[in-house]
């Protein structure tokens, strides 16, 4: 398991995101941060989150988001429709009624190798969805309806392959390749 630090050098920048004592606070609205690193399926992610402003409303975490939308990728969170644990693959669906108040809650998304995505709240399995459309990407927190805090992001599996150390572009020109009477090089 890998614990991802709640520190500014690990996440993309957002002026409405603050990092203090390994806790990330994000203002409500279209504000979010994403891990600078990418991960691959199978990936098991847990995170603690809590609402810290206003009446009960949505807070979100997303695995492998592919656009700026609130419910992109595999996403889950607290306070959806005020009193629901919500999930999406993508999109937003209501699961169990859960009054979250401002206490820390643990959300888990497990994109498994078996083709299922498992959504948990405080250790209880709430939904299983058969879905394989998202295979890699970042972790995003934010895009919330209210201010939320996040801590203790832990990932299991999902190690992305290392980036190539050097990329070399090979020209499609006759002086680079050995000759063959059936090969022709033309500009494209």
């Amino acid at each position: 398991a890998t614990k991802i630090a709640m520190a500014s050098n690990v996440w993309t920048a957002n002026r409405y995101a603050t990092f203090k004592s390994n806790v990330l606070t994000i203002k409500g609205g279209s504000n979010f941060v994403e891990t600078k690193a990418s991960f691959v399926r199978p990936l098991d992610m847990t995170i603690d989150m809590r609402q810290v402003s206003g009446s009960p409303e949505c807070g979100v975490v997303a695995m492998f988001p592919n656009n700026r939308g609130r419910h992109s990728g595999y996403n889950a969170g607290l306070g959806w429709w005020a009193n629901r644990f919500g999930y999406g693959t993508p999109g937003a669906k209501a699961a169990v009624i859960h009054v979250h108040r401002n206490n820390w809650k643990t959300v888990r998304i497990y994109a498994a190798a078996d083709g299922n995505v498992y959504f948990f709240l405080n250790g209880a399995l709430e939904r299983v969805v058969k879905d394989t459309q998202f295979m890699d990407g970042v972790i995003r927190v934010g895009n919330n309806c209210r201010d939320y805090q996040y801590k203790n992001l832990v990932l299991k599996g999902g190690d992305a392959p290392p980036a190539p150390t050097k990329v070399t572009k090979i020209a499609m020109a006759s002086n680079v390749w050995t000759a063959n009477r059936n090969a022709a090089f033309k500009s494209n």
Side-chain angles (χ1 to χ4, degrees):
T2 302
K3 186 168 184 178
I4 306 297
M6 291 299 172
S8 59
N9 64 328
V10 178
W11 299 85
T12 58
N14 182 303
R15 66 185 175 143
Y16 296 107
T18 56
F19 298 88
K20 186 176 179 181
S21 303
N22 227 15
V23 173
L24 165 62
T25 303
I26 299 182
K27 293 276 188 199
S30 59
N31 305 301
F32 60 81
V33 294
E34 297 176 335
T35 55
K36 291 180 180 177
S38 290
F39 306 94
V40 297
R41 188 179 193 144
L43 184 63
D44 192 351
M45 178 207 76
T46 60
I47 192 165
D48 295 334
M49 58 188 291
R50 71 175 177 177
Q51 183 176 331
V52 292
S53 75
S55 59
E57 273 295 343
C58 73
V60 184
V61 59
M63 176 189 290
F64 309 152
N66 63 352
N67 63 52
R68 296 181 60 81
R70 175 172 287 154
H71 300 293
S72 180
Y74 300 132
N75 64 95
L78 308 173
W80 297 13
W81 302 280
N83 66 352
R84 297 281 186 156
F85 172 70
Y87 68 99
T89 61
K93 294 186 177 179
V96 65
I97 291 178
H98 180 81
V99 179
H100 62 284
R101 297 184 179 84
N102 62 353
N103 302 317
W104 288 105
K105 307 294 180 178
T106 302
V107 172
R108 178 180 171 201
I109 302 172
Y110 177 31
D114 67 3
N116 289 321
V117 183
Y118 300 84
F119 296 93
F120 298 80
L121 176 60
N122 294 327
L125 178 62
E126 297 297 342
R127 288 291 186 275
V128 179
V129 179
K130 186 94 174 147
D131 192 284
T132 58
Q133 66 182 307
F134 303 112
M135 299 302 287
D136 57 47
V138 298
I139 303 300
R140 175 190 295 161
V141 295
N143 259 350
N144 306 317
C145 304
R146 300 284 187 263
D147 299 0
Y148 268 79
Q149 290 184 323
Y150 299 86
K151 66 179 183 176
N152 299 328
L153 173 60
V154 177
L155 304 176
K156 295 177 187 165
D159 294 330
T165 54
K166 184 177 179 186
V167 176
T168 304
K169 186 173 182 177
I170 306 293
M172 289 296 154
S174 60
N175 65 335
V176 178
W177 299 86
T178 57
N180 178 306
R181 63 188 175 105
N182 295 317
F185 294 91
K186 296 178 183 176
S187 61
N188 42 345

